[in-house]
Amino acid sequence: MRHIIIQVESIMKYPPTLSLMKILSELGEEVYLFTSVINKDVTKKCKIDGIKLVDLRHEYSSKNSAIKKLIQIPFVNWNIKQNINKLYNSETLIWVMTSITLKYIGNALNQKRYIMYMYELSQQIFFYPRIPLLRVNIKKLFQNASSVIECEYNRAHIAKAWFELDKMPYVVPNKPYLKPISRKSSVNDEYCSRIIEKIEDKKIVLYQGIIDPERPLLPFIEAVDELGEDYVMVVMSSDIDKLKNIKSSNLYCLPFVNPPDHLEITSWAHIGILTYVPVTGETTSPLNAIYCAPNKIYEYAMFGIPMIGNDIPGLKTEFDKSGIGQVFDSFTKKDILDAIKRIEVDYNRMSDNTYAFFDSFDNKAAFQKILNELK
């Protein structure tokens, strides 16, 4: 079978896309990647996995102005349609990745077999935020899809209700698919390696990800400061400049490292942070945070790292069911400290539980099942 994966923005910040590419390649499938962001890392990843790369040009960047993004849409859409028409046959399956990509699809999928593989929970997507009438017909795209994949159980039910789907979406958690990485692995990034060497005898409380209103970090930094010299707070992010005015003797900031190499840093953590505050974004619903489906849960679990997070269903349900973490009631130093102390009391059991949680889902088998049902 021939597969066309379409993701307009960079694949390197989306571990689930990287996992899908590797799995399809291992299953012996012919795979094409359509993207507008091509650099040495993307090229290297495609070469390793034997994936053919198609340049959509007009490189997407979240930093581009809304007007520039709007102007790019017809050009990227034209390139998508032209390349689909060249490659598509009766044995082709198209994978549409991410809410951003939906802005650029247009009618390119008409009369085609495709899977909607969504990482975010989006009920409406606007082409231009200031003109609400200019929006993607997301309901039609979902209803015409051969299948829909959501990365969390509740999200699947919400999508089915929102878009009046006849069939329940598949649920494929955002578990990384890669060769095992050892606990306290060697760190290849030179700068990050120097920092880890400096603090390797400390208990590292780690956050990796974007920094925005949905992910408040200051209360965690204050709580770790309170714990004293045995603990340090490490934040790894492409938005690290947003923390430059925070004064803390226990805070260490690391730059973004491409997946899966970022897991070398993850492997040193003692406790992992997950934080999600419901906000309304340009392409996401507040339910996106409430029913979060972070790949970080599996990334921490890979190394037996217990987790701490705020009290939302997407975290609390899994923490309580699998015994892999503790939630806190409010973003206060006291509540976060209490949650950390509860983890320390039961650390070894929680660590064992996270390993078991990681092994409980086989994403390669899940994708094989989906493909078998679509053939």
Side-chain angles (χ1 to χ4, degrees):
M1 184 180 287
R2 175 177 292 172
H3 299 264
I4 297 173
I5 298 172
I6 307 176
Q7 182 165 321
V8 170
E9 70 268 53
S10 174
I11 63 168
M12 298 311 296
K13 292 187 178 182
Y14 289 85
T17 302
L18 303 179
S19 294
L20 173 66
M21 291 165 61
K22 185 172 181 62
I23 288 170
L24 291 177
S25 176
E26 287 189 5
L27 291 174
E29 306 287 334
E30 181 184 18
V31 185
Y32 289 81
L33 172 67
F34 288 17
T35 184
S36 74
V37 183
I38 296 180
N39 51 40
K40 64 179 182 180
D41 295 315
V42 174
T43 303
K44 179 181 177 181
K45 167 66 178 171
C46 288
K47 185 175 180 180
I48 290 172
D49 290 342
I51 289 171
K52 302 175 180 70
L53 192 53
V54 175
D55 189 355
L56 298 177
R57 308 187 184 280
H58 306 282
E59 182 173 328
Y60 175 88
S61 171
S62 59
K63 296 179 181 178
N64 289 344
S65 68
I67 287 290
K68 183 173 182 179
K69 292 174 186 174
L70 183 64
I71 291 171
Q72 287 180 332
I73 287 174
F75 298 101
V76 175
N77 172 252
W78 188 87
N79 285 327
I80 291 173
K81 285 196 289 187
Q82 293 299 308
N83 283 290
I84 284 178
N85 290 337
K86 288 178 186 176
L87 295 170
Y88 191 86
N89 59 37
S90 61
E91 298 298 314
T92 301
L93 183 61
I94 300 170
W95 299 73
V96 183
M97 321 294 287
T98 78
S99 300
I100 294 295
T101 298
L102 298 184
K103 294 185 179 184
Y104 297 83
I105 287 296
N107 62 358
L109 302 177
N110 287 358
Q111 308 302 313
K112 306 290 192 299
R113 283 202 314 162
Y114 65 93
I115 291 177
M116 294 280 281
Y117 191 173
M118 297 290 101
Y119 303 147
E120 309 296 340
L121 198 55
S122 305
Q123 189 173 15
Q124 53 188 6
I125 299 173
F126 301 109
F127 289 110
Y128 186 65
R130 295 184 182 179
I131 309 177
L133 291 177
L134 286 178
R135 67 179 69 185
V136 177
N137 190 345
I138 189 169
K139 182 176 181 179
K140 180 180 178 181
L141 285 169
F142 268 78
Q143 288 184 340
N144 289 342
S146 300
S147 284
V148 175
I149 298 177
E150 295 286 347
C151 45
E152 194 267 344
Y153 174 77
N154 293 288
R155 289 187 182 195
H157 279 278
I158 292 167
K160 185 176 185 295
W162 275 352
F163 307 122
E164 301 176 20
L165 304 179
D166 294 330
K167 182 182 176 184
M168 186 71 169
Y170 291 102
V171 178
V172 180
N174 290 332
K175 179 183 178 181
Y177 182 79
L178 68 169
K179 292 179 180 178
I181 298 174
S182 63
R183 187 81 164 97
K184 296 191 174 181
S185 171
S186 59
V187 177
N188 288 312
D189 183 273
E190 186 177 341
Y191 177 77
C192 294
S193 178
R194 288 202 304 270
I195 298 298
I196 293 297
E197 286 177 10
K198 185 177 179 180
I199 59 175
E200 61 182 355
D201 61 337
K202 307 288 187 181
K203 292 182 177 181
I204 296 173
V205 181
L206 177 67
Y207 174 80
Q208 291 175 301
I210 61 174
I211 301 172
D212 64 11
E214 191 180 90
R215 320 283 177 93
L217 294 181
L218 184 57
F220 294 97
I221 296 169
E222 293 173 344
V224 174
D225 278 346
E226 189 82 10
L227 289 169
E229 62 181 16
D230 290 340
Y231 291 79
V232 292
M233 172 90 176
V234 174
V235 177
M236 176 181 234
S237 176
S238 57
D239 307 311
I240 210 68
D241 285 348
K242 294 179 181 179
L243 300 181
K244 62 184 178 183
N245 294 323
I246 293 180
K247 291 179 172 55
S248 167
S249 58
N250 275 356
L251 173 64
Y252 292 84
C253 296
L254 301 179
F256 174 79
V257 174
N258 279 329
D261 293 345
H262 73 294
L263 294 173
E264 294 168 355
I265 291 90
T266 311
S267 74
W268 286 86
H270 180 69
I271 293 173
I273 291 173
L274 296 159
T275 170
Y276 295 90
V277 174
V279 296
T280 300
E282 184 179 333
T283 61
T284 57
S285 159
L287 295 176
N288 192 64
I290 293 172
Y291 296 107
C292 62
N295 47 292
K296 291 296 168 196
I297 287 185
Y298 283 94
E299 291 180 1
Y300 291 138
M302 182 190 306
F303 302 108
I305 301 166
M307 296 155 240
I308 179 175
N310 54 308
D311 187 356
I312 52 172
L315 296 179
K316 182 174 173 55
T317 302
E318 201 59 70
F319 283 9
D320 289 350
K321 182 177 75 172
S322 302
I324 59 175
Q326 291 285 340
V327 297
F328 52 86
D329 293 330
S330 61
F331 282 92
T332 63
K333 179 172 67 176
K334 179 183 181 302
D335 279 5
I336 292 171
L337 279 171
D338 287 346
I340 290 173
K341 290 172 182 176
R342 292 197 302 273
I343 288 175
E344 294 292 17
V345 168
D346 203 18
Y347 190 90
N348 290 336
R349 185 184 69 83
M350 277 194 173
S351 180
D352 290 341
N353 289 344
T354 61
Y355 284 122
F357 169 76
F358 182 82
D359 291 336
S360 66
F361 183 78
D362 184 339
N363 40 356
K364 184 175 183 179
F367 282 118
Q368 180 69 79
K369 178 183 176 182
I370 293 170
L371 294 181
N372 289 342
E373 291 180 2
L374 289 174
K375 286 180 179 177

